[in-house]
mmCIF file of all heavy atoms in Angstrom:
data_model
loop_
_atom_site.group_PDB
_atom_site.id
_atom_site.type_symbol
_atom_site.label_atom_id
_atom_site.label_comp_id
_atom_site.label_asym_id
_atom_site.label_seq_id
_atom_site.Cartn_x
_atom_site.Cartn_y
_atom_site.Cartn_z
ATOM 1 N N GLY W 1 68.887 23.551 -36.333
ATOM 2 C CA GLY W 1 68.791 22.322 -37.112
ATOM 3 C C GLY W 1 67.501 21.558 -36.933
ATOM 4 O O GLY W 1 67.230 20.614 -37.683
ATOM 5 N N ASP W 2 66.680 21.940 -35.958
ATOM 6 C CA ASP W 2 65.385 21.274 -35.781
ATOM 7 C C ASP W 2 64.316 21.843 -36.714
ATOM 8 O O ASP W 2 63.237 21.266 -36.845
ATOM 9 C CB ASP W 2 64.914 21.403 -34.328
ATOM 10 C CG ASP W 2 65.614 20.400 -33.421
ATOM 11 O OD1 ASP W 2 65.929 19.297 -33.903
ATOM 12 O OD2 ASP W 2 65.852 20.720 -32.246
ATOM 13 N N ARG W 3 64.595 23.003 -37.333
ATOM 14 C CA ARG W 3 63.642 23.587 -38.281
ATOM 15 C C ARG W 3 63.947 23.046 -39.678
ATOM 16 O O ARG W 3 65.116 23.025 -40.089
ATOM 17 C CB ARG W 3 63.727 25.112 -38.268
ATOM 18 C CG ARG W 3 63.256 25.735 -36.950
ATOM 19 C CD ARG W 3 62.985 27.228 -37.127
ATOM 20 N NE ARG W 3 64.195 27.975 -37.409
ATOM 21 C CZ ARG W 3 64.864 28.698 -36.514
ATOM 22 N NH1 ARG W 3 64.433 28.764 -35.267
ATOM 23 N NH2 ARG W 3 65.950 29.370 -36.866
ATOM 24 N N PRO W 4 62.930 22.605 -40.419
ATOM 25 C CA PRO W 4 63.190 21.961 -41.717
ATOM 26 C C PRO W 4 64.028 22.801 -42.678
ATOM 27 O O PRO W 4 64.979 22.295 -43.277
ATOM 28 C CB PRO W 4 61.776 21.728 -42.265
ATOM 29 C CG PRO W 4 60.933 21.560 -41.043
ATOM 30 C CD PRO W 4 61.513 22.530 -40.040
ATOM 31 N N ARG W 5 63.700 24.082 -42.848
ATOM 32 C CA ARG W 5 64.478 24.910 -43.783
ATOM 33 C C ARG W 5 65.922 25.038 -43.326
ATOM 34 O O ARG W 5 66.849 24.958 -44.128
ATOM 35 C CB ARG W 5 63.853 26.295 -43.912
ATOM 36 C CG ARG W 5 62.547 26.349 -44.672
ATOM 37 C CD ARG W 5 62.162 27.786 -44.962
ATOM 38 N NE ARG W 5 62.275 28.633 -43.770
ATOM 39 C CZ ARG W 5 62.235 29.951 -43.770
ATOM 40 N NH1 ARG W 5 62.121 30.609 -44.910
ATOM 41 N NH2 ARG W 5 62.323 30.643 -42.652
ATOM 42 N N ASP W 6 66.098 25.270 -42.023
ATOM 43 C CA ASP W 6 67.454 25.416 -41.502
ATOM 44 C C ASP W 6 68.226 24.105 -41.643
ATOM 45 O O ASP W 6 69.428 24.112 -41.962
ATOM 46 C CB ASP W 6 67.413 25.833 -40.028
ATOM 47 C CG ASP W 6 66.891 27.244 -39.837
ATOM 48 O OD1 ASP W 6 66.465 27.847 -40.842
ATOM 49 O OD2 ASP W 6 66.901 27.741 -38.698
ATOM 50 N N ALA W 7 67.553 22.978 -41.393
ATOM 51 C CA ALA W 7 68.226 21.682 -41.511
ATOM 52 C C ALA W 7 68.716 21.451 -42.931
ATOM 53 O O ALA W 7 69.828 20.939 -43.155
ATOM 54 C CB ALA W 7 67.282 20.561 -41.084
ATOM 55 N N ALA W 8 67.911 21.835 -43.909
ATOM 56 C CA ALA W 8 68.324 21.674 -45.301
ATOM 57 C C ALA W 8 69.529 22.549 -45.631
ATOM 58 O O ALA W 8 70.462 22.122 -46.315
ATOM 59 C CB ALA W 8 67.152 22.010 -46.225
ATOM 60 N N PHE W 9 69.522 23.786 -45.121
ATOM 61 C CA PHE W 9 70.661 24.671 -45.361
ATOM 62 C C PHE W 9 71.933 24.117 -44.712
ATOM 63 O O PHE W 9 73.008 24.105 -45.316
ATOM 64 C CB PHE W 9 70.366 26.063 -44.803
ATOM 65 C CG PHE W 9 71.526 27.017 -44.938
ATOM 66 C CD1 PHE W 9 71.766 27.660 -46.139
ATOM 67 C CD2 PHE W 9 72.381 27.259 -43.875
ATOM 68 C CE1 PHE W 9 72.841 28.529 -46.269
ATOM 69 C CE2 PHE W 9 73.454 28.118 -43.996
ATOM 70 C CZ PHE W 9 73.680 28.756 -45.199
ATOM 71 N N LEU W 10 71.809 23.651 -43.457
ATOM 72 C CA LEU W 10 72.980 23.108 -42.762
ATOM 73 C C LEU W 10 73.511 21.865 -43.458
ATOM 74 O O LEU W 10 74.718 21.617 -43.467
ATOM 75 C CB LEU W 10 72.621 22.797 -41.305
ATOM 76 C CG LEU W 10 72.325 24.026 -40.435
ATOM 77 C CD1 LEU W 10 71.766 23.607 -39.089
ATOM 78 C CD2 LEU W 10 73.576 24.884 -40.251
ATOM 79 N N GLU W 11 72.617 21.091 -44.043
ATOM 80 C CA GLU W 11 73.057 19.921 -44.808
ATOM 81 C C GLU W 11 73.914 20.360 -45.994
ATOM 82 O O GLU W 11 74.936 19.737 -46.304
ATOM 83 C CB GLU W 11 71.845 19.134 -45.286
ATOM 84 C CG GLU W 11 72.168 17.737 -45.778
ATOM 85 C CD GLU W 11 72.421 16.768 -44.638
ATOM 86 O OE1 GLU W 11 72.024 17.049 -43.496
ATOM 87 O OE2 GLU W 11 73.038 15.714 -44.907
ATOM 88 N N ASP W 12 73.517 21.441 -46.648
ATOM 89 C CA ASP W 12 74.332 21.993 -47.735
ATOM 90 C C ASP W 12 75.660 22.538 -47.201
ATOM 91 O O ASP W 12 76.708 22.404 -47.838
ATOM 92 C CB ASP W 12 73.576 23.104 -48.465
ATOM 93 C CG ASP W 12 72.531 22.576 -49.434
ATOM 94 O OD1 ASP W 12 72.732 21.465 -49.949
ATOM 95 O OD2 ASP W 12 71.521 23.251 -49.651
ATOM 96 N N ALA W 13 75.618 23.150 -46.014
ATOM 97 C CA ALA W 13 76.821 23.764 -45.446
ATOM 98 C C ALA W 13 77.867 22.732 -45.048
ATOM 99 O O ALA W 13 79.054 23.067 -44.945
ATOM 100 C CB ALA W 13 76.441 24.618 -44.238
ATOM 101 N N VAL W 14 77.450 21.494 -44.835
ATOM 102 C CA VAL W 14 78.414 20.439 -44.502
ATOM 103 C C VAL W 14 79.487 20.327 -45.574
ATOM 104 O O VAL W 14 80.637 19.969 -45.300
ATOM 105 C CB VAL W 14 77.680 19.091 -44.309
ATOM 106 C CG1 VAL W 14 78.667 17.936 -44.227
ATOM 107 C CG2 VAL W 14 76.829 19.130 -43.044
ATOM 108 N N ARG W 15 79.124 20.678 -46.800
ATOM 109 C CA ARG W 15 80.101 20.593 -47.893
ATOM 110 C C ARG W 15 81.312 21.489 -47.652
ATOM 111 O O ARG W 15 82.405 21.222 -48.167
ATOM 112 C CB ARG W 15 79.434 20.988 -49.208
ATOM 113 C CG ARG W 15 78.288 20.080 -49.617
ATOM 114 C CD ARG W 15 77.573 20.604 -50.847
ATOM 115 N NE ARG W 15 76.415 19.795 -51.202
ATOM 116 C CZ ARG W 15 75.584 20.072 -52.183
ATOM 117 N NH1 ARG W 15 75.786 21.148 -52.937
ATOM 118 N NH2 ARG W 15 74.561 19.293 -52.433
ATOM 119 N N LEU W 16 81.126 22.556 -46.880
ATOM 120 C CA LEU W 16 82.245 23.457 -46.596
ATOM 121 C C LEU W 16 83.297 22.792 -45.717
ATOM 122 O O LEU W 16 84.430 23.272 -45.630
ATOM 123 C CB LEU W 16 81.734 24.724 -45.895
ATOM 124 C CG LEU W 16 80.697 25.562 -46.644
ATOM 125 C CD1 LEU W 16 80.324 26.780 -45.814
ATOM 126 C CD2 LEU W 16 81.218 25.984 -48.013
ATOM 127 N N LEU W 17 82.918 21.708 -45.022
ATOM 128 C CA LEU W 17 83.828 21.061 -44.087
ATOM 129 C C LEU W 17 84.348 19.735 -44.611
ATOM 130 O O LEU W 17 84.963 18.964 -43.861
ATOM 131 C CB LEU W 17 83.114 20.837 -42.736
ATOM 132 C CG LEU W 17 82.633 22.110 -42.038
ATOM 133 C CD1 LEU W 17 81.946 21.764 -40.723
ATOM 134 C CD2 LEU W 17 83.786 23.071 -41.795
ATOM 135 N N ARG W 18 84.121 19.462 -45.875
ATOM 136 C CA ARG W 18 84.651 18.229 -46.459
ATOM 137 C C ARG W 18 86.079 18.455 -46.934
ATOM 138 O O ARG W 18 86.434 19.540 -47.371
ATOM 139 C CB ARG W 18 83.764 17.767 -47.612
ATOM 140 C CG ARG W 18 82.415 17.234 -47.142
ATOM 141 C CD ARG W 18 81.513 16.892 -48.299
ATOM 142 N NE ARG W 18 80.207 16.438 -47.809
ATOM 143 C CZ ARG W 18 79.117 16.369 -48.544
ATOM 144 N NH1 ARG W 18 79.166 16.726 -49.818
ATOM 145 N NH2 ARG W 18 77.977 15.955 -48.024
ATOM 146 N N GLY W 19 86.886 17.404 -46.831
ATOM 147 C CA GLY W 19 88.263 17.504 -47.289
ATOM 148 C C GLY W 19 89.266 17.720 -46.183
ATOM 149 O O GLY W 19 90.428 18.067 -46.441
ATOM 150 N N ALA W 20 88.850 17.487 -44.921
ATOM 151 C CA ALA W 20 89.796 17.628 -43.803
ATOM 152 C C ALA W 20 90.845 16.527 -43.871
ATOM 153 O O ALA W 20 90.574 15.410 -44.310
ATOM 154 C CB ALA W 20 89.056 17.590 -42.472
ATOM 155 N N GLY W 21 92.027 16.850 -43.413
ATOM 156 C CA GLY W 21 93.107 15.868 -43.399
ATOM 157 C C GLY W 21 94.161 16.258 -42.383
ATOM 158 O O GLY W 21 93.970 17.159 -41.560
ATOM 159 N N TYR W 22 95.277 15.561 -42.431
ATOM 160 C CA TYR W 22 96.413 15.846 -41.559
ATOM 161 C C TYR W 22 97.590 16.273 -42.421
ATOM 162 O O TYR W 22 97.816 15.705 -43.504
ATOM 163 C CB TYR W 22 96.804 14.608 -40.745
ATOM 164 C CG TYR W 22 95.804 14.232 -39.682
ATOM 165 C CD1 TYR W 22 94.672 13.486 -39.990
ATOM 166 C CD2 TYR W 22 95.991 14.621 -38.356
ATOM 167 C CE1 TYR W 22 93.742 13.142 -39.019
ATOM 168 C CE2 TYR W 22 95.073 14.280 -37.377
ATOM 169 C CZ TYR W 22 93.958 13.536 -37.714
ATOM 170 O OH TYR W 22 93.042 13.199 -36.754
ATOM 171 N N THR W 23 98.327 17.263 -41.964
ATOM 172 C CA THR W 23 99.472 17.776 -42.718
ATOM 173 C C THR W 23 100.701 17.777 -41.817
ATOM 174 O O THR W 23 100.750 18.496 -40.813
ATOM 175 C CB THR W 23 99.216 19.199 -43.231
ATOM 176 O OG1 THR W 23 98.062 19.195 -44.074
ATOM 177 C CG2 THR W 23 100.414 19.712 -44.011
ATOM 178 N N ALA W 24 101.674 16.943 -42.154
ATOM 179 C CA ALA W 24 102.948 16.898 -41.420
ATOM 180 C C ALA W 24 103.939 17.847 -42.081
ATOM 181 O O ALA W 24 103.919 18.028 -43.302
ATOM 182 C CB ALA W 24 103.500 15.478 -41.409
ATOM 183 N N PHE W 25 104.783 18.463 -41.282
ATOM 184 C CA PHE W 25 105.814 19.348 -41.832
ATOM 185 C C PHE W 25 107.041 19.312 -40.934
ATOM 186 O O PHE W 25 106.951 19.057 -39.736
ATOM 187 C CB PHE W 25 105.288 20.777 -41.974
ATOM 188 C CG PHE W 25 104.936 21.447 -40.661
ATOM 189 C CD1 PHE W 25 105.810 22.346 -40.061
ATOM 190 C CD2 PHE W 25 103.739 21.175 -40.020
ATOM 191 C CE1 PHE W 25 105.503 22.967 -38.864
ATOM 192 C CE2 PHE W 25 103.411 21.793 -38.821
ATOM 193 C CZ PHE W 25 104.290 22.689 -38.244
ATOM 194 N N ASP W 26 108.176 19.549 -41.523
ATOM 195 C CA ASP W 26 109.450 19.576 -40.788
ATOM 196 C C ASP W 26 110.359 20.556 -41.524
ATOM 197 O O ASP W 26 110.954 20.244 -42.544
ATOM 198 C CB ASP W 26 110.075 18.186 -40.744
ATOM 199 C CG ASP W 26 111.173 18.076 -39.692
ATOM 200 O OD1 ASP W 26 111.685 19.127 -39.254
ATOM 201 O OD2 ASP W 26 111.520 16.945 -39.303
ATOM 202 N N GLY W 27 110.395 21.790 -41.027
ATOM 203 C CA GLY W 27 111.127 22.863 -41.691
ATOM 204 C C GLY W 27 110.182 24.008 -41.961
ATOM 205 O O GLY W 27 109.573 24.554 -41.043
ATOM 206 N N ALA W 28 110.014 24.345 -43.222
ATOM 207 C CA ALA W 28 109.107 25.441 -43.572
ATOM 208 C C ALA W 28 107.661 25.039 -43.268
ATOM 209 O O ALA W 28 107.286 23.879 -43.435
ATOM 210 C CB ALA W 28 109.251 25.790 -45.047
ATOM 211 N N PRO W 29 106.833 25.965 -42.811
ATOM 212 C CA PRO W 29 105.429 25.643 -42.548
ATOM 213 C C PRO W 29 104.723 25.279 -43.839
ATOM 214 O O PRO W 29 105.113 25.724 -44.925
ATOM 215 C CB PRO W 29 104.868 26.939 -41.942
ATOM 216 C CG PRO W 29 105.785 28.017 -42.411
ATOM 217 C CD PRO W 29 107.140 27.383 -42.515
ATOM 218 N N PRO W 30 103.687 24.461 -43.780
ATOM 219 C CA PRO W 30 102.979 24.076 -45.005
ATOM 220 C C PRO W 30 102.294 25.274 -45.648
ATOM 221 O O PRO W 30 101.906 26.233 -44.962
ATOM 222 C CB PRO W 30 101.955 23.053 -44.508
ATOM 223 C CG PRO W 30 101.779 23.352 -43.053
ATOM 224 C CD PRO W 30 103.090 23.861 -42.572
ATOM 225 N N ALA W 31 102.146 25.221 -46.944
ATOM 226 C CA ALA W 31 101.496 26.313 -47.660
ATOM 227 C C ALA W 31 100.056 26.489 -47.196
ATOM 228 O O ALA W 31 99.541 27.600 -47.145
ATOM 229 C CB ALA W 31 101.548 26.041 -49.167
ATOM 230 N N GLN W 32 99.385 25.383 -46.875
ATOM 231 C CA GLN W 32 98.017 25.428 -46.382
ATOM 232 C C GLN W 32 98.031 24.874 -44.950
ATOM 233 O O GLN W 32 98.037 23.672 -44.729
ATOM 234 C CB GLN W 32 97.100 24.618 -47.284
ATOM 235 C CG GLN W 32 95.713 24.265 -46.812
ATOM 236 C CD GLN W 32 94.987 25.256 -45.935
ATOM 237 O OE1 GLN W 32 95.089 26.464 -46.087
ATOM 238 N NE2 GLN W 32 94.251 24.727 -44.982
ATOM 239 N N ALA W 33 98.089 25.791 -43.980
ATOM 240 C CA ALA W 33 98.168 25.395 -42.576
ATOM 241 C C ALA W 33 96.865 25.607 -41.827
ATOM 242 O O ALA W 33 96.777 25.345 -40.631
ATOM 243 C CB ALA W 33 99.276 26.192 -41.870
ATOM 244 N N GLU W 34 95.834 26.067 -42.526
ATOM 245 C CA GLU W 34 94.579 26.449 -41.866
ATOM 246 C C GLU W 34 93.623 25.269 -41.729
ATOM 247 O O GLU W 34 93.685 24.301 -42.493
ATOM 248 C CB GLU W 34 93.874 27.539 -42.691
ATOM 249 C CG GLU W 34 94.704 28.779 -42.938
ATOM 250 C CD GLU W 34 94.774 29.668 -41.714
ATOM 251 O OE1 GLU W 34 93.722 30.028 -41.179
ATOM 252 O OE2 GLU W 34 95.903 29.981 -41.296
ATOM 253 N N HIS W 35 92.726 25.405 -40.767
ATOM 254 C CA HIS W 35 91.555 24.543 -40.697
ATOM 255 C C HIS W 35 90.344 25.450 -40.860
ATOM 256 O O HIS W 35 90.038 26.265 -39.986
ATOM 257 C CB HIS W 35 91.485 23.791 -39.368
ATOM 258 C CG HIS W 35 90.439 22.719 -39.337
ATOM 259 N ND1 HIS W 35 89.092 22.998 -39.379
ATOM 260 C CD2 HIS W 35 90.534 21.356 -39.284
ATOM 261 C CE1 HIS W 35 88.402 21.871 -39.347
ATOM 262 N NE2 HIS W 35 89.260 20.857 -39.296
ATOM 263 N N GLY W 36 89.671 25.318 -42.002
ATOM 264 C CA GLY W 36 88.564 26.216 -42.315
ATOM 265 C C GLY W 36 87.443 26.167 -41.309
ATOM 266 O O GLY W 36 86.751 27.167 -41.093
#
């Protein structure tokens, strides 16, 4: 991340980690149980 090109790529890659949340369940496991 200290290299300019790499920093720009990692900034784009942050988009892959957007949308995190919490999922409660009681009974069947949630359809989406993963953390990417």
Side-chain angles (χ1 to χ4, degrees):
D2 281 327
R3 293 196 294 259
R5 288 191 312 167
D6 291 6
F9 177 81
L10 292 171
E11 195 77 19
D12 282 331
V14 169
R15 298 174 184 176
L16 301 181
L17 299 180
R18 289 175 182 163
Y22 290 82
T23 301
F25 64 100
D26 196 342
Q32 166 34 36
E34 303 283 306
H35 190 293

